[in-house]
Amino acid sequence: MITKRDVESLIDLTGRHNKQELTACLVENVRKISASSTITVYEVFAAQSDRELDNNPSGYVVRNTSHSVWQGEPLAQHEGFTECIATKKIVHLTPENSLTTRMIIPVRGARDIIGLLVIDCHNSDTEVLFMIEALSQVWKSQQFLLDRNERDGLTGLLNRQALESRIPHLFGEKPNSPQGATGASGIKCVAMLDLDKFKEVNDQYGHLFGDEVLVHFTSLMKNSFRPYDYLFRYGGEEFVVVLLNVELDMAVTILDRFRHTVETYDFPQVGKKTVSIGVIQMTTSELPSTLLDRADKALYFTKQHGRNRVCAYEHLLRSGQLQESVVSSGDIELF
């Protein structure tokens, strides 16, 4: 029998407008129903490297979101995952001589499966399982709606709203927190990218061709960066990339390789285009708005000094080409 508490739990889920809050709410409500249940959320990515495709005919890799560093695992390493992705339906597993019931629930994004929700329930009561599945279905629907709202309609990348909602997660981790890690694994770099002289494309060829350039540029981004880095369309022809687990010098190398990829690419009808990039290594001692502002200053320097380059804010400071921007304690935090 569905109780008032069950209905309140469902309503609670529908009121969440942030993916992290939504998942935390699901975990809390499932534990209220069955204290012995455990929940794991996996992100799903298309495999890109040969290493990721070895012995992985499904073409997907998954990542346990509780891990503080990237650990890609083929679907086949997890029983039921391949079936769940292929059928896009909930898979129930009940090991022989076990009191545990496992539910593997696919999470649809705006365009494809973006995650798997795995619930191990030690209470096999039919009503308990029914309510857990109902909560999971509502969670899954909310995930789909949030993902669709956070995607740019033209490029399919995360939009500026998505960047703002992820600010605490991306910028706010402390080095000694559970999500942090020692060495390079806890380091992130944020880059701002701007297509050079993009206005000329719209003026000369029209906005439809300009949109086509953005779509091709997005495809180059997706093929050049790792599937678990964060790619955002910040607005117009400006983009933001958050590189995980890399130090600044490596980030500059990765971004310069992408710059060269763009430089040598033939955009349909338009021909050659270039991109300017500013990058900074994230630190937990600075406000997110300060970090983004400094990455933007490095980008602006690049645009003013020849374009088609990658400039790191820290390198420009050391060379005396930029003066450090200081945000006073009285300034307003933008995010």
Side-chain angles (χ1 to χ4, degrees):
M1 177 183 294
I2 297 179
T3 66
K4 178 182 177 182
R5 188 186 69 180
D6 295 333
V7 174
E8 290 174 345
S9 297
L10 292 170
I11 294 173
D12 194 18
L13 279 173
T14 60
R16 306 294 174 152
H17 305 292
N18 174 286
K19 286 187 175 182
Q20 287 75 32
E21 289 182 5
L22 179 65
T23 299
C25 180
L26 174 70
V27 171
E28 178 184 354
N29 282 293
V30 167
R31 285 176 178 164
K32 286 179 182 177
I33 296 171
S34 175
S36 58
S37 292
T38 58
I39 299 177
T40 308
V41 179
Y42 289 86
E43 294 175 290
V44 176
F45 304 100
Q48 290 186 339
S49 69
D50 293 338
R51 177 183 59 80
E52 290 173 335
L53 288 168
D54 286 344
N55 302 315
N56 184 24
S58 69
Y60 290 97
V61 293
V62 294
R63 177 200 178 203
N64 185 332
T65 58
S66 65
H67 291 169
S68 58
V69 295
W70 166 252
Q71 296 183 30
E73 303 166 339
L75 291 185
Q77 290 188 10
H78 301 272
E79 184 182 3
F81 280 23
T82 300
E83 179 185 351
C84 187
I85 290 288
T87 64
K88 297 180 173 60
K89 296 180 180 179
I90 295 177
V91 173
H92 291 82
L93 297 176
T94 305
E96 199 173 338
N97 300 322
S98 174
L99 298 177
T100 301
T101 297
R102 167 167 284 195
M103 290 186 288
I104 307 171
I105 303 163
V107 183
R108 272 190 61 210
R111 304 190 178 190
D112 202 356
I113 297 296
I114 61 171
L116 296 172
L117 175 68
V118 180
I119 300 178
D120 292 308
C121 186
H122 299 280
N123 185 339
S124 58
D125 181 270
T126 303
E127 289 189 5
V128 170
L129 294 179
F130 173 80
M131 260 323 291
I132 290 177
E133 187 165 329
L135 286 169
S136 303
Q137 292 283 17
V138 172
W139 175 88
K140 185 175 69 168
S141 297
Q142 289 295 105
Q143 284 278 350
F144 171 75
L145 291 173
L146 289 174
D147 186 71
R148 186 175 64 180
N149 291 338
E150 290 184 340
R151 295 285 170 181
D152 175 62
L154 176 65
T155 64
L157 296 181
L158 294 168
N159 57 27
R160 185 166 181 166
Q161 173 187 333
L163 173 61
E164 293 175 4
S165 71
R166 284 163 172 75
I167 286 291
H169 172 68
L170 293 176
F171 293 78
E173 291 177 6
K174 303 300 182 183
N176 297 321
S177 70
Q179 289 295 321
T182 58
S185 60
I187 294 173
K188 308 182 189 75
C189 293
V190 59
M192 301 197 78
L193 297 71
D194 191 274
L195 272 166
D196 295 324
K197 300 182 179 179
F198 182 73
K199 185 177 182 297
E200 294 181 2
V201 176
N202 287 330
D203 291 344
Q204 184 175 350
Y205 298 96
H207 288 279
L208 286 178
F209 285 101
D211 287 349
E212 188 173 16
V213 168
L214 293 175
V215 170
H216 280 262
F217 181 78
T218 298
S219 179
L220 294 177
M221 289 180 70
K222 291 177 179 177
N223 290 329
S224 298
F225 298 107
R226 300 165 301 180
Y228 44 88
D229 290 322
Y230 288 88
L231 310 179
F232 302 89
R233 186 183 180 191
Y234 197 62
E237 68 274 22
E238 194 167 28
F239 299 80
V240 170
V241 175
V242 178
L243 298 170
L244 304 179
N245 307 339
V246 294
E247 296 181 344
L248 182 63
D249 289 344
M250 178 56 70
V252 171
T253 299
I254 293 169
L255 292 164
D256 192 62
R257 187 166 59 228
F258 172 69
R259 180 204 59 76
H260 179 71
T261 297
V262 174
E263 180 185 34
T264 56
Y265 185 77
D266 281 314
F267 290 88
Q269 304 297 324
V270 175
K272 302 294 185 181
K273 295 300 296 177
T274 60
V275 62
S276 296
I277 303 173
V279 61
I280 187 172
Q281 184 169 303
M282 295 186 193
T283 64
T284 56
S285 61
E286 299 290 352
L287 294 172
S289 55
T290 301
L291 291 168
L292 288 171
D293 177 69
R294 289 174 176 175
D296 190 53
K297 280 182 167 55
L299 170 62
Y300 183 78
F301 181 92
T302 302
K303 302 284 281 187
Q304 295 297 308
H305 292 80
R307 301 185 177 89
N308 192 27
R309 296 170 57 192
V310 179
C311 288
Y313 180 80
E314 294 89 332
H315 295 169
L316 294 174
L317 283 184
R318 284 199 293 268
S319 65
Q321 295 173 283
L322 273 185
Q323 298 298 314
E324 185 167 11
S325 59
V326 179
V327 178
S328 69
S329 59
D331 286 346
I332 297 173
E333 170 59 69
L334 297 179
F335 299 104

